Amino acid sequence: RDRGGDWSSDVCSSDLCTIVCTLALTIGLNGGYGQNTVSAASTKNNKIVIGHRGACGYLPEHTLESYSLAYGLGADYIESDVCLTKDGIPVIMHDITIDTTTDVAKLYPNRKRADGHYYVIDFTISEIKTLSVHERTQEGSTTNVVYPGRFPLNSAHFEVPTLEEYIQLVQGLNKSTGKDIGIYPELKQPKFHTDNGQDIGTVALKVLRKYGYDTPKSKCYLQCFDPSYLIKVRTKMGAKMKIIQLIGEEPDSPGANYKKMMTDAGLAKVATYANGIGPWYEQILDVDGNKVKLPVTNPNLVKDAHKHNLVVHPYTFRKDDLPKYVTSVDQLMKRFYFKENVDGIFTDFSDHAVKVLANGPKK
């Protein structure tokens, strides 16, 4: 549908969503990738697959269509990133800015800030819903995509979903398929939101509690890079769901010292408020496949985390962005699942991870 409201010859968003749901569920329920793609956690390995931004290796990230495909491809959890609009509605967007994944510059050319960026929090939900989501482009470009082999740029209309729409989709599919797939939301840059007059944790927790995700047994992991804010979420906001402390390469959050956090003592502290960690996988093995160079700071990171009863869910496994020591994403996933003994992985390609877990460590 074009911006004037007339129907074009292109497939509209709702029709495309229906098509993708049908395709995804056909793959997921009747077998895909050469096998029956049952939920990975149902295998004997008891390790999980996290659909990173949905199935963004195949469809534009953080769209209902991408989530539908991740569901059908067998992900155990489907990851989302939460930001707030000007009127306080939690929407799904990886960045607090919307430059590189939407047509905001075309629709609202005069709404950028002095730094040249367009921010989610400067737009109302009705304005956000007018945007079309597309494959991620390079910073400062509207034509150069980050991953050229993925979904064609601007070839279909996808909307920005709200947190509630994402949850309703997953819960609806759980009911219609009989599965129990979980959600994995991330609170994006709490300090930025606070500085702009909104508290992202309070808003997000209200929605999560509305849909029954605030118990230790809920199929929900709540994640954030900001340790001081996560402690607040656990102790002052009373969050009871599983919490994951994300770990970055740089201390880009207030009070964060990720190098210290990855020590045995640091992990012991994380265990007082969180249930696991989400490091970059090169903090476990560097780009050459060893544990002696930065960004690896603790060669025993996984073992030490497990000692403190923390699960380890590294990010992000992509078949179009491989380190030097592997030739395929399956080989990379197998290495981390079975040799490094991580408990789950974030991946843009859930079907590959499901296949690796189904085959086990020997294949």
Side-chain angles (χ1 to χ4, degrees):
R1 189 164 54 88
D2 66 21
R3 289 298 172 268
D6 296 325
W7 293 101
S8 70
S9 59
D10 294 331
V11 178
C12 73
S13 178
S14 59
D15 286 345
L16 184 59
C17 187
T18 301
I19 293 169
V20 171
C21 281
T22 302
L23 174 62
L25 293 174
T26 299
I27 294 171
L29 297 176
N30 297 327
Y33 213 92
Q35 63 188 35
N36 183 10
T37 54
V38 296
S39 177
S42 66
T43 70
K44 64 182 180 180
N45 302 306
N46 199 33
K47 296 176 183 288
I48 67 170
V49 175
I50 305 154
H52 182 245
R53 308 181 200 176
C56 67
Y58 303 110
L59 285 166
E61 66 185 58
H62 290 322
T63 59
L64 294 183
E65 292 84 352
S66 184
Y67 295 144
S68 300
L69 187 55
Y71 192 105
L73 292 176
D76 299 295
Y77 286 82
I78 300 175
E79 188 247 5
S80 65
D81 295 304
V82 183
C83 298
L84 298 182
T85 63
K86 186 176 183 179
D87 43 354
I89 304 301
V91 296
I92 309 301
M93 181 66 59
H94 178 263
D95 306 309
I96 57 174
T97 57
I98 47 180
D99 310 21
T100 58
T101 56
T102 77
D103 60 351
V104 64
K106 179 181 178 181
L107 270 63
Y108 301 98
N110 300 318
R111 297 284 293 278
K112 59 187 175 184
R113 291 194 182 186
D115 63 4
H117 292 294
Y118 299 83
Y119 288 81
V120 177
I121 206 165
D122 292 337
F123 294 82
T124 65
I125 185 61
S126 60
E127 291 171 331
I128 290 291
K129 282 296 185 178
T130 66
L131 302 176
S132 184
V133 179
H134 55 65
E135 188 64 33
R136 178 172 289 273
T137 59
Q138 300 281 355
E139 189 75 29
S141 172
T142 58
T143 57
N144 296 325
V145 294
V146 175
Y147 298 105
R150 297 191 179 187
F151 199 86
L153 189 64
N154 297 320
S155 60
H157 174 64
F158 303 90
E159 291 185 359
V160 178
T162 66
L163 177 61
E164 284 205 81
E165 289 169 341
Y166 152 73
I167 291 173
Q168 289 167 354
L169 174 69
V170 174
Q171 290 195 347
L173 288 172
N174 280 343
K175 179 175 175 59
S176 60
T177 65
K179 294 184 178 182
D180 188 19
I181 303 307
I183 64 171
Y184 210 124
E186 177 187 343
L187 303 178
K188 299 299 292 190
Q189 297 196 30
K191 186 178 184 302
F192 170 84
H193 283 88
T194 301
D195 290 345
N196 283 268
Q198 301 205 49
D199 185 34
I200 190 169
T202 300
V203 176
L205 281 174
K206 183 177 180 180
V207 175
L208 294 174
R209 285 165 173 156
K210 175 182 176 180
Y211 288 92
Y213 286 114
D214 193 24
T215 74
K217 294 185 178 180
S218 300
K219 290 299 289 289
C220 173
Y221 284 100
L222 183 64
Q223 57 178 335
C224 186
F225 279 99
D226 188 333
S228 60
Y229 195 79
L230 273 183
I231 292 171
K232 179 181 177 181
V233 167
R234 179 68 88 195
T235 60
K236 297 190 181 302
M237 299 183 189
K240 297 180 177 63
M241 76 280 287
K242 296 181 286 291
I243 284 179
I244 295 292
Q245 173 65 65
L246 291 171
I247 299 175
E249 187 178 12
E250 300 290 342
D252 55 0
S253 298
N257 184 333
Y258 296 124
K259 290 182 181 179
K260 184 176 179 180
M261 186 182 292
M262 288 186 284
T263 65
D264 183 59
L267 292 167
K269 182 176 180 180
V270 171
T272 64
Y273 64 88
N275 304 92
I277 58 171
W280 178 29
Y281 73 77
E282 287 192 18
Q283 291 168 319
I284 297 173
L285 289 178
D286 71 17
V287 69
D288 295 311
N290 59 59
K291 299 184 178 185
V292 297
K293 296 189 301 183
L294 292 175
V296 177
T297 59
N298 179 1
N300 298 310
L301 180 62
V302 176
K303 183 178 179 180
D304 287 346
H306 287 164
K307 181 173 68 175
H308 296 292
N309 296 314
L310 295 168
V311 296
V312 181
H313 297 161
Y315 60 87
T316 303
F317 291 71
R318 300 178 170 107
K319 68 180 182 181
D320 42 12
D321 185 16
L322 297 173
K324 298 176 182 177
Y325 56 92
V326 296
T327 57
S328 72
V329 72
D330 293 41
Q331 184 183 359
L332 181 65
M333 291 172 172
K334 181 179 176 181
R335 171 71 181 266
F336 275 81
Y337 272 132
F338 302 119
K339 187 171 182 179
E340 304 308 322
N341 196 30
V342 301
D343 304 284
I345 64 170
F346 290 86
T347 179
D348 298 358
F349 302 92
S350 294
D351 50 339
H352 284 264
V354 171
K355 184 189 75 168
V356 167
L357 285 179
N359 286 338
K362 295 184 179 180
K363 289 188 179 182

